Amino acid sequence: MVSRSYSNLLELASGESPSFERMNRRIPRIMTVAGIMSDIDDDPSESVCSDPSSSSVQMCRIIIVANQLPIRAQRKSDGSKSWIFNWDENSLLLQLKDGLGDDEIEVIYVGCLKEEVHLSEQEEVSQILLETFKCVPTFLPPDLFSRYYHGFCKQQLWPLFHYMLPLSPDLGGRFNRSLWQAYVSVNKIFADRIMEVINPEDDFVWVHDYHLMVLPTFLRKRCNKVKLGFFLHSPFPSSEIYKTLPIREELLRALLNSDLIGFHTFDYARHFLSCCSRMLGLSYESKRGYMGIEYCGRTVSIKILPVGIHMGQLQSVLSLTETEAKVKELIKQFCDQDRIMLLGVDDMDIFKGISLKLLAMEQLLVQHPEWQGKIVLVQIANPARGKGKDVKEVQAETHAVVKRINETFGKPGYDPIVLIDAPLKFYEKVAYYVVAECCLVTAVRDGMNLIPYEYIISRQGNDRLNKLLGQEPSTPKKSMLVISEFIGCSPSLSGAIRVNPWNIDAVADAMDYALEMADPEKQLRHEKHYRYVNTHDVGYWARSFFQDLERTCRNHSRRRCWGIGFGLSFRVVALDPNFKKLSMERIVSAYKRTTTRAILLDYDGTLMPQASIDKSPSSKSIGIINSLCRDKNNMVFLVSARSRKKVAEWFSQCVRLGLAAEHGYFLRLMRDAEWETCVPVADTTWKQIAEPVMQLYTETTDGSTVEDKETALVWCYEDADPDFGSCQAKELLDHLESVLANEPVTVKSGQNIVEVKPQGVSKGLVAKRLLSIMQENEISPDFVLCIGDDRSDDDMFEVITTSMTVTQNAEVFACTVGQKPSKAKYYLDDTAEIVRLMQGLASVSEQTLTE
């Protein structure tokens, strides 16, 4: 069911692109005219993709999708209105291409140009970019782009992802539904553009950053088996921040339509997983080092890998004569004047902490007057990427603080702070890196920040630059970093001095410590950082992500997939070919033509929803069970983990119903029969050890309880905080396994529970007992139905599918609730479908009785 809030987006979010109709035909590798597919006949001999000679050498292809293409565009100065296009060498998207390898992987780019292109020129520009650069431009109307980028992306998503809540209209943009609709519209336009060039069966798609977070849904809707990766370059906020977003579930579900989701740090990934757990009820697990979320039968992999820099590009810039000249100029300006340069390079925005850095510099000069006249902080302020009141406020504050500090501590020929707020060429920044003794990054929140990496490589330098700095070729290099704890590269740079940028005194102390540190220590730290940055460059990052994407998508062709849901709630259900939805028609037909039936039913989560507060069976459920039991051809057993007292009380009206309690330890063939045990009577003295341990965890975990059964103890954390409860459950499991190591019991975890029960007890015993009773009576069942919802029911499924007592041509149905890993061959979606199924079988039995 679609929520009322988003019903107005249904047409937008579920509309099919005209190009979708072409998916059933072969899609060519090259467009003849930008945006228009060349017609390909069904004749394989005329198909580009079916040429045997070309297919043998066909390269793997990946489509890189981002908000902006890695292209610089400008008008020719001759007045012809023609365009000049060049690669943007500083674009991460272009740099990652080198890591993938041109000889092995063909790369296509889809994105917007920075410059506006008139409608009449768009076809020509598209053709040029595709043929020359393999780029597919996405053209957006200026008003739509402004609402999408400067509106929703920069005023709503970007502040929230950087932990800025819109508590008032002045503090970040409050949610605006028209801007959200613009965001969805643009993502759909991107999807349309991708579908014009994609070969859905073969191509990989790699989507970048928060500008395109709902794009995976549109692509998955068009092609269920698309090989899709997504990398978030910004932070992902904690669940407490993220859950304030009105469209929180739509974004999460959209991202989960990817096959692989990448983050820079574990913190960002942990926050995403926590949001999935708290808002969607999904859990994750780690297998052999890979993390994944089970979502609708698909495993969505989670990748944690910080991006790196392009070593080749930076080293080539270091070798430029322009760089060498600029370094000479800076040496003359600072080193020859016996002044030590500290360097900051930041975008002029509210999260980069420029003013905090300046205040720390001021504090350093106050606390350590000996540095006055000797140190200079050069602050390079790159132009802000967004627009708005906040950018103007940061600029005004920065200039005011610089002016005050220079007036207080400056003197003729010396300003303690040099603010450069004009755009610099990259080689000029590199020259500053080369000369700076220490680099300061005090951002209050930043996704990654590659400034420290660039600084480290620049300080390594080359022979010509080292000679300018008066260093011998064999002299160990040195560098110092003072970096914020709140930036993505911080965990990777263990030799840096990490600071809380909000603590001005601590930042000032860190700056002094960096200046005073002995050269051998600086050299060791630099060597450690250089080794890491050199081996974890952008190529390593791109190759690692793509390899994981290939691994994740390896089994796509073997899965059966279909889409469910409307609009942005759309998702794909993927199942193993042998795992099918139980057909009502088939099972009813089998039920009608068979005469000896065994039916095993779990209770909690199968006949009764897990979320129900009142767990007792309804009169409707009792009526259905009695109808099945009255049929002389049926033997019906209800198998529960609950105590025999509870199940006997609940099903006292069911005279011919067999009951199994406490996972099959106790068993009763019908209401008037005596309870028997499936294993020898257990010694429960172990409870004296286990119960105090469980009580301890109950006291420290709000919302948890202990249930004392006759033969088992259960610690339940269903009502506890999901993250804390899961963490405590793992600890309790280890604790109990340790203290009960010599006891004849098994400690197991289940859905929101940790249970201790006698060894050898399982629901499989009930299935064996039922089949053995039928065998003793010389009856071989020709119909077996077993339904359960969790791992404890797998024992029953295994018994009924492998038992030799079931006739060779028997109809056997092992069915679980929901699409998930199971030993069952069939599934139904939820308890409501289970009840409808049982009602249908009961109706057949009622008709038989009345005939």
Side-chain angles (χ1 to χ4, degrees):
M1 180 177 179
V2 183
S3 65
R4 178 197 59 79
S5 303
Y6 308 108
S7 59
N8 60 334
L9 294 178
L10 274 181
E11 183 178 350
L12 177 66
S14 60
E16 301 295 351
S17 166
S19 63
F20 178 55
E21 297 173 1
R22 290 189 285 268
M23 278 182 57
N24 294 325
R25 294 186 285 169
R26 291 286 187 177
I27 297 181
R29 288 271 169 182
I30 299 295
M31 293 191 299
T32 54
V33 178
I36 302 176
M37 304 301 302
S38 59
D39 290 331
I40 301 294
D41 294 332
D42 290 334
D43 183 357
S45 65
E46 297 183 17
S47 171
V48 174
C49 297
S50 59
D51 180 6
S53 61
S54 65
S55 62
S56 62
V57 295
Q58 182 174 300
M59 289 193 298
C60 175
R61 193 168 79 155
I62 184 169
I63 300 173
I64 306 287
V65 190
N67 177 52
Q68 286 189 347
L69 289 171
I71 293 289
R72 289 197 179 103
Q74 63 184 63
R75 293 278 189 186
K76 286 184 179 179
S77 56
D78 58 6
S80 64
K81 292 187 178 181
S82 297
W83 290 91
I84 300 174
F85 299 104
N86 295 291
W87 287 115
D88 181 357
E89 300 292 341
N90 296 325
S91 171
L92 177 69
L93 303 181
L94 180 62
Q95 293 172 0
L96 69 81
K97 181 180 179 182
D98 289 348
L100 295 174
D102 285 339
D103 296 336
E104 301 171 7
I105 300 174
E106 179 187 2
V107 178
I108 302 288
Y109 292 102
V110 176
C112 298
L113 288 168
K114 294 179 183 178
E115 289 72 20
E116 184 181 344
V117 178
H118 191 271
L119 182 63
S120 62
E121 302 175 287
Q122 289 177 5
E123 185 174 316
E124 179 186 358
V125 167
S126 295
Q127 191 71 32
I128 293 171
L129 289 176
L130 180 66
E131 293 177 354
T132 310
F133 299 94
K134 293 185 180 178
C135 289
V136 180
T138 303
F139 300 110
L140 303 174
D143 176 62
L144 179 62
F145 178 81
S146 179
R147 288 185 291 124
Y148 147 75
Y149 183 75
H150 296 296
F152 193 77
C153 289
K154 283 300 180 182
Q155 293 301 316
Q156 298 187 1
L157 279 185
W158 189 72
L160 188 81
F161 277 30
H162 288 75
Y163 287 73
M164 186 175 179
L165 289 174
L167 299 176
S168 72
D170 295 332
L171 294 173
R174 286 187 171 167
F175 183 75
N176 183 312
R177 193 158 302 281
S178 67
L179 298 183
W180 162 240
Q181 290 174 339
Y183 181 83
V184 173
S185 297
V186 169
N187 276 250
K188 184 175 182 296
I189 291 171
F190 268 83
D192 294 341
R193 204 69 167 133
I194 293 166
M195 293 309 299
E196 292 175 0
V197 294
I198 191 174
N199 185 337
E201 297 299 320
D202 300 324
D203 294 347
F204 292 86
V205 181
W206 186 357
V207 181
H208 289 262
D209 223 2
Y210 62 92
H211 312 92
L212 301 170
M213 289 178 75
V214 299
L215 177 58
T217 290
F218 292 122
L219 289 178
R220 188 69 64 188
K221 184 174 179 63
R222 311 285 179 82
C223 178
N224 289 349
K225 294 184 180 181
V226 64
K227 303 168 185 176
L228 178 58
F230 181 94
F231 198 95
L232 183 67
H233 292 272
S234 77
F236 195 94
S238 72
S239 60
E240 291 300 305
I241 298 292
Y242 180 80
K243 70 182 181 182
T244 63
L245 195 60
I247 39 85
R248 61 193 189 183
E249 292 186 12
E250 282 78 359
L251 290 184
L252 289 178
R253 292 192 184 279
L255 288 178
L256 290 171
N257 276 321
S258 306
D259 294 299
L260 176 65
I261 306 173
F263 300 92
H264 285 307
T265 73
F266 173 68
D267 273 350
Y268 303 161
R270 177 169 57 87
H271 294 156
F272 173 76
L273 294 170
S274 177
C275 288
C276 290
S277 171
R278 293 171 181 273
M279 294 161 212
L280 302 180
L282 303 175
S283 59
Y284 77 95
E285 61 181 0
S286 181
K287 290 182 180 179
R288 297 184 178 179
Y290 295 105
M291 283 196 298
I293 301 176
E294 288 296 325
Y295 182 61
C296 297
R298 297 169 47 244
T299 298
V300 181
S301 295
I302 304 298
K303 176 80 171 174
I304 300 168
L305 185 68
V307 70
I309 60 174
H310 193 293
M311 294 292 295
Q313 184 212 14
L314 186 51
Q315 287 167 346
S316 66
V317 172
L318 285 167
S319 301
L320 293 175
T321 55
E322 293 94 332
T323 306
E324 188 177 342
K326 185 65 179 178
V327 169
K328 285 181 182 177
E329 178 188 324
L330 294 176
I331 290 173
K332 183 178 180 180
Q333 182 181 353
F334 296 102
C335 302
D336 292 351
Q337 303 295 322
D338 293 326
R339 285 171 186 154
I340 300 171
M341 184 204 297
L342 308 178
L343 180 65
V345 181
D346 305 278
D347 292 347
M348 185 67 84
D349 70 51
I350 56 177
F351 297 112
K352 295 301 186 287
I354 295 177
S355 60
L356 297 176
K357 186 188 305 177
L358 299 177
L359 293 174
M361 177 68 174
E362 182 181 37
Q363 187 77 345
L364 175 65
L365 296 175
V366 170
Q367 292 180 345
H368 300 276
E370 66 274 15
W371 289 118
Q372 294 180 20
K374 295 182 180 179
I375 60 173
V376 177
L377 171 60
V378 176
Q379 177 61 56
I380 299 173
N382 301 321
R385 300 180 193 182
K387 299 177 181 179
K389 181 181 175 183
D390 55 335
V391 174
K392 295 178 181 178
E393 289 176 348
V394 170
Q395 290 173 331
E397 182 186 12
T398 300
H399 284 277
V401 174
V402 169
K403 181 180 179 183
R404 189 187 74 237
I405 294 174
N406 284 342
E407 288 177 351
T408 304
F409 300 99
K411 52 188 177 184
Y414 170 71
D415 281 330
I417 297 179
V418 176
L419 177 64
I420 304 173
D421 59 355
L424 291 182
K425 294 181 178 178
F426 187 55
Y427 80 84
E428 294 178 295
K429 293 179 186 177
V430 170
Y432 278 99
Y433 290 144
V434 171
V435 179
E437 281 294 313
C438 179
C439 182
L440 309 171
V441 182
T442 55
V444 297
R445 191 71 60 178
D446 207 351
M448 184 59 194
N449 200 311
L450 295 174
I451 299 300
Y453 288 12
E454 293 174 351
Y455 169 69
I456 290 163
I457 301 303
S458 299
R459 288 291 287 179
Q460 186 71 13
N462 55 39
D463 290 343
R464 291 167 61 186
L465 293 176
N466 293 339
K467 188 175 180 181
L468 288 177
L469 294 169
Q471 299 174 355
E472 294 294 327
S474 60
T475 304
K477 308 303 182 292
K478 61 180 181 178
S479 63
M480 273 310 300
L481 285 167
V482 176
I483 61 174
S484 166
E485 301 168 350
F486 305 115
I487 62 176
C489 67
S490 175
S492 305
L493 300 172
S494 56
I497 304 173
R498 298 190 183 104
V499 294
N500 173 5
W502 300 100
N503 189 338
I504 303 300
D505 290 334
V507 177
D509 290 342
M511 293 165 68
D512 180 61
Y513 180 56
L515 292 167
E516 296 281 8
M517 186 179 292
D519 283 354
E521 177 69 15
K522 291 181 181 179
Q523 291 162 1
L524 286 173
R525 294 182 184 227
H526 171 82
E527 182 183 351
K528 184 177 186 180
H529 289 158
Y530 178 77
R531 195 162 51 242
Y532 176 83
V533 175
N534 188 40
T535 55
H536 291 73
D537 62 355
V538 67
Y540 171 85
W541 172 77
R543 285 191 301 276
S544 181
F545 187 90
F546 183 66
Q547 286 167 4
D548 272 17
L549 183 58
E550 283 185 308
R551 176 188 57 80
T552 302
C553 300
R554 195 174 297 150
N555 296 326
H556 271 23
S557 60
R558 303 212 314 253
R559 296 255 176 182
R560 293 182 301 113
C561 298
W562 63 88
I564 58 174
F566 297 99
L568 294 176
S569 294
F570 176 85
R571 56 204 180 277
V572 165
V573 176
L575 299 175
D576 188 275
N578 297 321
F579 191 51
K580 307 171 185 176
K581 185 163 185 176
L582 186 57
S583 165
M584 186 76 76
E585 292 78 11
R586 183 185 169 191
I587 193 171
V588 169
S589 173
Y591 189 85
K592 286 180 177 179
R593 66 173 180 267
T594 52
T595 57
T596 309
R597 312 183 192 105
I599 300 174
L600 293 142
L601 303 173
D602 175 48
Y603 183 67
D604 288 290
T606 302
L607 294 178
M608 176 60 61
Q610 288 283 4
S612 296
I613 296 176
D614 181 7
K615 300 290 188 181
S616 61
S618 64
S619 56
K620 178 181 177 182
S621 297
I622 296 292
I624 292 172
I625 291 172
N626 275 330
S627 295
L628 291 171
C629 290
R630 280 194 293 268
D631 190 331
K632 60 181 176 55
N633 295 326
N634 293 344
M635 182 172 281
V636 185
F637 254 87
L638 188 135
V639 188
S640 174
R642 294 188 176 273
S643 68
R644 57 177 173 172
K645 179 181 178 182
K646 181 62 70 175
V647 293
E649 175 189 334
W650 282 350
F651 295 96
S652 59
Q653 300 176 51
C654 303
V655 178
R656 298 190 66 242
L657 175 66
L659 289 177
E662 300 194 16
H663 290 294
Y665 184 88
F666 295 109
L667 185 142
R668 190 176 74 180
L669 298 180
M670 57 182 63
R671 188 183 67 182
D672 298 329
E674 294 293 323
W675 286 98
E676 57 183 89
T677 59
C678 290
V679 295
V681 177
D683 176 15
T684 58
T685 55
W686 55 266
K687 286 188 176 182
Q688 299 172 14
I689 303 171
E691 189 168 14
V693 176
M694 286 189 172
Q695 289 295 349
L696 173 65
Y697 281 79
T698 302
E699 291 170 8
T700 57
T701 311
D702 187 41
S704 65
T705 58
V706 175
E707 182 183 358
D708 186 358
K709 302 178 183 178
E710 288 183 68
T711 63
L713 279 176
V714 181
W715 186 75
C716 176
Y717 59 97
E718 185 177 6
D719 297 326
D721 177 273
D723 287 341
F724 185 54
S726 177
C727 178
Q728 289 288 80
K730 291 174 184 175
E731 287 291 326
L732 176 59
L733 188 71
D734 289 342
H735 196 159
L736 289 171
E737 285 179 341
S738 175
V739 299
L740 298 173
N742 298 320
E743 300 294 332
V745 294
T746 301
V747 185
K748 286 191 174 182
S749 61
Q751 190 168 1
N752 297 323
I753 65 164
V754 174
E755 183 171 24
V756 185
K757 61 182 182 181
Q759 287 179 348
V761 174
S762 74
K763 292 183 179 179
L765 294 175
V766 182
K768 287 180 181 178
R769 179 71 176 127
L770 174 59
L771 294 175
S772 68
I773 291 172
M774 299 181 81
Q775 188 178 26
E776 288 167 7
N777 294 326
E778 297 183 352
I779 300 172
S780 293
D782 52 7
F783 177 98
V784 182
L785 171 63
C786 181
I787 308 179
D789 75 306
D790 63 21
R791 283 179 294 181
S792 68
D793 300 303
D794 280 346
D795 296 321
M796 288 196 295
F797 301 149
E798 191 170 19
V799 168
I800 69 164
T801 54
T802 59
S803 176
M804 300 299 294
T805 60
V806 179
T807 59
Q808 186 175 0
N809 297 321
E811 299 280 0
V812 179
F813 300 93
C815 178
T816 189
V817 182
Q819 302 97 15
K820 57 179 179 286
S822 173
K823 292 182 180 179
K825 187 176 179 180
Y826 301 97
Y827 78 92
L828 288 172
D829 287 327
D830 50 34
T831 56
E833 285 197 353
I834 301 291
V835 172
R836 282 198 295 272
L837 168 65
M838 303 314 298
Q839 193 169 18
L841 299 183
S843 297
V844 173
S845 289
E846 288 292 340
Q847 291 172 9
T848 304
L849 291 172
T850 56
E851 288 176 358

